[in-house]
Amino acid sequence: MADDQSANVELIKKHIGEYPDFPKKGILFKDIFTALRNGEVCKAIKSVLLAYVRENCPDVQVIVGLEARGFLFSLLIAAELGVASVPIRKKGKLPGTCAQQEYVLEYGTDVFEIQQGSIVEGQKVLIIDDLLATGGTMDAANKLVQQLGGIVERNVVIIELTELGGRKKLEAAGAKVHSFIQYDDVE
């Protein structure tokens, strides 16, 4: 990564908020919204994302954002590159016919959906979210894109909680994963 992008990543990291015991006791929540309160950090996020995508996925055709924070970044990248932006949402939030994929949560399961026809067979796709923890939601997103015939080029996140093993899970399933900021200290 170029020196200017390293400085941008450090600026972003400096502004990520931490909230102990959220959403439940024992969790130290890393909050990207806190960083987005600063205009210079917003510009830095845009810069690092675009530089990474242009260098590593120059022929990507669709940017998929995961509910809900991933939406912010997917539209930002897609608009700049002039490619499609497609959401993956929780069950019941998208109209029309949707493909579904169940995934495991700490206490139970949930379902992600993507609209049929939002990705064309053979399209190259980048999937983005704010944070990678256990990898369950990103894995479900990869499977949904593949159900529609898309080719997942990369999984990109701003923050990765390495201790929770999401990267290992995704890479074991064949995904390429990139994070800009890694935290090893999970409460």
Side-chain angles (χ1 to χ4, degrees):
M1 185 180 306
D3 287 338
D4 60 330
Q5 295 307 330
S6 295
N8 279 333
V9 169
E10 287 306 311
L11 177 66
I12 297 163
K13 187 173 185 176
K14 180 177 150 188
H15 285 85
I16 290 174
E18 293 185 344
Y19 292 88
D21 299 323
F22 182 83
K24 65 180 189 171
K25 189 163 181 59
I27 293 178
L28 179 60
F29 187 83
K30 305 287 188 183
D31 182 33
I32 194 70
F33 283 146
T34 305
L36 297 178
R37 294 178 193 162
N38 180 301
E40 290 303 311
V41 174
C42 290
K43 287 175 19 181
I45 289 171
K46 178 181 177 183
S47 180
V48 297
L49 286 172
L50 286 170
Y52 180 81
V53 173
R54 284 182 172 135
E55 182 176 330
N56 296 281
C57 308
D59 55 352
V60 70
Q61 298 165 292
V62 179
I63 310 295
V64 169
L66 303 189
E67 185 166 321
R69 292 171 184 92
F71 298 165
L72 300 169
F73 308 118
S74 64
L75 180 59
L76 177 82
I77 298 166
E80 190 71 28
L81 299 178
V83 300
S85 176
V86 172
I88 288 183
R89 301 207 61 194
K90 290 186 178 174
K91 184 177 179 179
K93 302 287 185 178
L94 291 171
T97 305
C98 295
Q100 297 184 344
Q101 181 65 48
E102 188 175 83
Y103 60 96
V104 178
L105 300 167
E106 191 171 347
Y107 299 106
T109 61
D110 209 342
V111 176
F112 258 170
E113 292 184 329
I114 190 170
Q115 290 171 312
Q116 292 285 356
S118 60
I119 294 173
V120 177
E121 179 88 27
Q123 280 187 311
K124 294 179 179 178
V125 178
L126 180 138
I127 302 175
I128 190 161
D129 203 5
D130 68 319
L131 185 133
L132 174 62
T134 64
T137 57
M138 189 66 79
D139 185 53
N142 287 336
K143 290 174 180 171
L144 276 175
V145 168
Q146 291 163 352
Q147 278 182 48
L148 297 185
I151 300 164
V152 179
E153 293 287 307
R154 291 274 196 292
N155 295 162
V156 175
V157 295
I158 306 295
I159 303 166
E160 178 182 359
L161 306 177
T162 60
E163 292 289 316
L164 297 179
R167 175 184 293 270
K168 289 178 186 169
K169 175 180 184 167
L170 295 170
E171 288 176 344
K176 294 178 182 173
V177 180
H178 180 75
S179 61
F180 295 96
I181 299 167
Q182 301 80 33
Y183 292 102
D184 298 326
D185 57 334
V186 177
E187 282 189 358

